[in-house]
Amino acid sequence: MLDRIIKIISILSFLMSVSMAAFGYVAIRYMQSPEFERTLKNKIMGSLEDKLPDVMGSVMPDLTGPSIQLPEANKVNPFGNPKN
């Protein structure tokens, strides 16, 4: 009797393992599909449009600040001296 119960439990365990592996494979394949990416982008952009209706509108700013000068990289001559 105990042997029969153990066999049933092992068969159920095997079926659960196979079904979880199959579900994981299908989920990963769906997440890598372009359809999933398109759906996710539409949901995110839709929620952003609802939360931020008129942040920028269609108006560009008239005036911007001055540009920031980027630092120059140190020049190294062929002998390894960083000062030229």
Side-chain angles (χ1 to χ4, degrees), residues 7-64:
K7 286 180 182 179
I8 292 172
I9 291 174
S10 68
I11 291 172
L12 290 175
S13 174
F14 175 74
L15 291 175
M16 286 175 47
S17 297
V18 169
S19 66
M20 287 188 339
F23 176 75
Y25 176 76
V26 170
I28 288 173
R29 294 295 292 179
Y30 177 68
M31 287 183 194
Q32 292 175 347
S33 70
E35 179 185 343
F36 176 73
E37 182 180 351
R38 186 173 41 251
T39 305
L40 190 61
K41 282 182 183 178
N42 288 339
K43 285 183 181 179
I44 290 172
M45 292 306 291
S47 65
L48 285 178
E49 288 175 359
D50 293 340
K51 292 178 182 174
L52 306 170
D54 293 325
V55 173
M56 282 294 287
S58 60
V59 179
M60 290 296 290
D62 294 332
L63 180 65
T64 61

